């Protein structure tokens, strides 16, 4: 990892105030996103940049075979303390690791990772993903929604965010390596999380949906996702290289 990034990723977990191993929204977030991914049964998963380790904990508890990669050695050490399968990556865009060679995975997860990479590095990510995923395997990504003005707080809150992403920009890279879009939409909206009661959160989300319909039809001919975070599920075509 270059010196510029190394400086800003030092003690990154303290800056983010992470509670290591705590599943996001107490796991409700992952349940909702898992339904969108559309896989059933136990899966073989790679998580790129596992960060606070919440998904690793959740996926292991659900019985999946999951390995996480991370450039922060402190986070890798913390994960191993909790008996999670975690490996240190020396570069943000390189996650091909010795234990992954000659294995075929069902799913690759990337929560809040791609916005930290430059376009050529995102290309490297998908090149590796194509070599590791089985035909029909899936790639899930969450990132700040650059097609929405409401993502600016997230995108600009971190100096390590170097690329603004939309669905079309991501597909411009991913399709070169045999990926097709299966789902795109607002990131999951847990209703039983935070200070507001579930009924209030449901009303807020309904208002967002109505706003998207109005704005989308006024400017784009149809509803568009405008939440701060976007979720995308891509599928590897058969015989992708």
């Amino acid at each position: 990892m270059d010196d510029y990034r190394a400086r800003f990723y030092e003690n990154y977990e303290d800056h983010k105030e992470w509670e290591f191993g705590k599943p996001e929204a107490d796991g409700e977030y992952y349940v909702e996103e898992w339904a969108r991914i559309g896989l059933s049964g136990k899966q073989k998963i790679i998580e790129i940049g596992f960060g606070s380790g919440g998904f690793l904990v959740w996926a292991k508890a659900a019985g999946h075979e999951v390995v996480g990669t991370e450039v922060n050695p402190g986070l890798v050490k913390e994960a191993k303390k909790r008996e999670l399968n975690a490996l240190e990556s020396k570069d943000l865009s390189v996650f091909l690791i010795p234990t992954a060679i000659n294995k075929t995975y069902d799913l690759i997860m990337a929560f809040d990772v791609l916005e930290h990479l430059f376009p050529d590095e995102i290309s490297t990510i998908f090149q590796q993903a194509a070599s590791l995923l089985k035909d029909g395997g899936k790639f899930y990504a969450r990132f700040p929604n650059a097609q929405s003005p409401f993502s600016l707080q997230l995108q600009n809150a971190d100096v390590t965010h170097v690329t603004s992403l939309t669905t079309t920009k991501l597909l411009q890279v991913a399709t070169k390596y045999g990926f097709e879009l299966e789902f795109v939409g607002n990131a999951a909206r847990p209703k039983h999380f935070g200070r507001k009661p579930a009924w209030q959160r449901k009303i807020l989300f309904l208002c967002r949906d109505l706003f998207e319909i109005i704005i989308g039809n006024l400017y784009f001919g149809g509803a568009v996702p405008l939440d701060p975070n976007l979720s995308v599920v891509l599928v590897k075509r058969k015989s992708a290289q």
Side-chain angles (χ1 to χ4, degrees), residues 195-221:
R195 296 181 179 179
K196 291 183 175 65
W199 67 268
Q200 285 188 10
R201 292 176 68 82
K202 289 179 182 179
I203 292 173
L204 288 172
F205 295 149
L206 176 60
C207 290
R208 286 190 191 179
D209 291 338
L210 292 174
F211 182 76
E212 289 178 351
I213 292 171
I214 294 169
I215 296 299
N217 278 282
L218 281 173
Y219 289 96
F220 307 109

Side-chain angles (χ1 to χ4, degrees), residues 4 26-27 38 55 64 66-67 73 83 90 94 97 113 135 144 148 150 173 198 208 213 222-223 237 241:
Y4 168 81
D26 296 325
F55 178 76
H64 301 294
V66 57
V67 55
E83 298 183 345
K90 298 300 182 183
V94 178
I97 42 183
V113 170
D135 288 344
S148 168
F150 306 112
V173 176
R208 286 190 191 179
I213 292 171
R237 293 194 302 263
Q241 299 298 319

Side-chain angles (χ1 to χ4, degrees), residues 5-217:
R5 282 171 162 164
R7 289 199 306 274
F8 287 113
Y9 282 115
E10 187 176 359
N11 300 319
Y12 189 71
E13 61 272 32
D14 296 331
H15 166 70
K16 300 296 266 186
E17 298 181 341
W18 281 333
E19 181 181 346
F20 192 89
K22 182 177 175 59
E24 190 167 342
D26 296 325
E28 184 181 353
Y29 183 90
Y30 303 132
V31 171
E32 291 188 23
E33 293 290 43
W34 192 261
R36 293 171 167 180
I37 293 169
L39 294 174
S40 59
K42 309 307 180 186
Q43 306 295 324
K44 293 172 64 176
I45 307 169
I46 296 174
E47 183 183 8
I48 308 168
F50 60 79
S52 66
F55 178 76
L56 285 184
V57 169
W58 180 86
K60 182 181 178 181
H64 301 294
E65 181 185 331
V66 57
V67 55
T69 67
E70 176 58 58
V71 296
N72 187 317
L75 294 174
V76 174
K77 184 178 180 180
E78 188 65 33
K80 288 182 176 180
K81 282 183 184 177
R82 297 166 184 259
E83 298 183 345
L84 299 169
N85 190 357
L87 295 158
E88 184 178 351
S89 177
K90 298 300 182 183
D91 187 272
L92 288 172
S93 63
V94 178
F95 65 95
L96 277 178
I97 42 183
T99 56
I101 295 174
N102 297 324
K103 286 191 176 183
T104 303
Y105 288 83
D106 303 298
L107 175 65
I108 293 174
M109 305 290 288
F111 290 100
D112 310 327
V113 170
L114 300 183
E115 65 271 22
H116 293 263
L117 306 176
F118 292 106
D120 60 330
E121 295 172 323
I122 295 173
S123 179
T124 299
I125 287 283
F126 280 103
Q127 183 179 28
Q128 295 169 87
S131 69
L132 286 172
L133 286 169
K134 68 180 184 181
D135 288 344
K138 300 189 179 185
F139 188 107
Y140 167 93
R142 180 181 73 184
F143 48 85
N145 180 9
Q147 65 196 42
S148 168
F150 306 112
S151 75
L152 292 175
Q153 191 277 335
L154 290 180
Q155 181 67 31
N156 296 322
D158 192 331
V159 71
T160 64
H161 291 178
V162 295
T163 300
S164 297
L165 286 166
T166 63
T167 310
T168 53
K169 287 173 74 173
L170 189 66
L171 288 175
Q172 191 175 359
V173 176
T175 54
K176 293 182 179 296
Y177 299 101
F179 288 92
E180 295 178 342
L181 182 66
E182 181 173 88
F183 169 85
V184 58
N186 294 315
R189 299 165 167 176
K191 298 175 180 64
H192 301 89
F193 181 73
R195 296 181 179 179
K196 291 183 175 65
W199 67 268
Q200 285 188 10
R201 292 176 68 82
K202 289 179 182 179
I203 292 173
L204 288 172
F205 295 149
L206 176 60
C207 290
R208 286 190 191 179
D209 291 338
L210 292 174
F211 182 76
E212 289 178 351
I213 292 171
I214 294 169
I215 296 299
N217 278 282

